[in-house]
Amino acid sequence: MRQLFPVTDQTPDAEAAKDTQWSLHELADAYAYPSTDGPWLRANMVSSLDGAGQHEGRSQPLSSETDMRVFGTLRALADVIVVGAETVRLEGYRPARARAEFAARREAAGQGPVAAIAVVTASLDLDFSLPLFASPLVPTLVLTGAAADPERIREAERGGAEVVVAGDGPGVEPERAVRALAERGFRRLLTEGGPRLLGQFVAAGVLDELCLTVSPTLTAGDAQRIAGGPPVQVPQRFTLTSLLEDAGFLYTRYRRI
């Protein structure tokens, strides 16, 4: 892996960097959350060269070993991982696992052993007997609206989830979701999608940072982009803050201007 931006006199050429693998601590330093007074919402997504955010409904075929190391590092830095219910179902989400490599870093940052998972759902159509709800190291949160089915809420709570109301209707309002999580001490937020949830965060103007892996693959087809839903009135501008490269994969970081 090599850093292409910001450029320094230490940036190696492609041949010199070919067999260089960054340590997890180097990755953690590179992806450290900024110091802010309020919450910081970061998204981590992968896209093919032709704009596909998935292949056959899953992101894994676009990924790589290094991309998964970045994925694990971003999870280890977060207080909470926010994910849509459809992604939970499609990707087979499990609880975050504690990793000894990050234990001291998390303790020094005042964090628990692992990030909590927060599932965004209007219908609460989830299997609450799954390990994500039944056996996490820290309770899984379910974000829903005030008009959600009361019986499904009770079922979620019986399954061990903590239900958080973040909307006046059946669904979740992105601004209220971010605020509700921050009120519970979760300031370092990470979302892994899916595309519909990321689109909602973009439309609401609450996304602070996008970590986008550009995969050197072409998929064709009609796969979703990384963000879906209605378009914003005016395209939002982000600025490039970091660019890493490994085996043709580009690991970008963009911050909202």
Side-chain angles (χ1 to χ4, degrees), residues 110-232:
Q111 296 172 297
V114 296
I117 306 291
V119 183
V120 176
T121 173
S123 67
L124 285 88
D125 182 16
L126 296 160
D127 183 353
F128 294 108
S129 69
L130 292 175
L132 176 61
F133 303 101
S135 56
L137 281 175
V138 295
T140 294
L141 294 87
V142 172
L143 302 179
T144 193
D149 183 348
E151 179 52 38
R152 295 298 295 172
I153 290 177
R154 286 190 288 271
E155 186 177 348
E157 292 173 337
R158 286 195 296 268
E162 179 185 344
V163 177
V164 178
V165 173
D168 292 329
V172 170
E173 299 164 19
E175 304 96 324
R176 286 186 58 178
V178 170
R179 187 166 64 248
L181 291 169
E183 288 170 351
R184 284 163 174 77
F186 300 122
R187 295 189 302 104
R188 305 172 189 90
L189 282 66
L190 170 68
T191 181
E192 298 167 349
R196 184 167 57 181
L197 178 62
L198 180 56
Q200 291 170 354
F201 284 136
V202 171
V206 296
L207 184 70
D208 297 298
E209 178 181 343
L210 173 63
C211 298
L212 176 65
T213 297
V214 180
S215 170
T217 55
L218 292 168
T219 68
D222 56 0
Q224 285 184 292
R225 295 159 34 191
I226 65 167
V232 297

Side-chain angles (χ1 to χ4, degrees), residues 40 207-209 236-240 254-257:
W40 185 268
L207 184 70
D208 297 298
E209 178 181 343
Q236 298 175 17
R237 290 292 303 274
F238 280 61
T239 185
L240 180 68
Y254 288 90
R255 292 186 185 182
R256 181 173 53 182
I257 295 176

Side-chain angles (χ1 to χ4, degrees), residues 6 29 42 48 72 99 137 152 155 169 189 193 219 233 249:
D29 289 341
R42 160 187 286 173
S48 69
R99 300 182 60 179
L137 281 175
R152 295 298 295 172
E155 186 177 348
L189 282 66
T219 68
Q233 269 195 323
F249 283 76

Side-chain angles (χ1 to χ4, degrees), residues 6-20:
V7 178
T8 72
D9 57 4
Q10 301 300 313
T11 299
D13 59 31
E15 189 62 30
K18 186 169 61 175
D19 298 321
T20 302

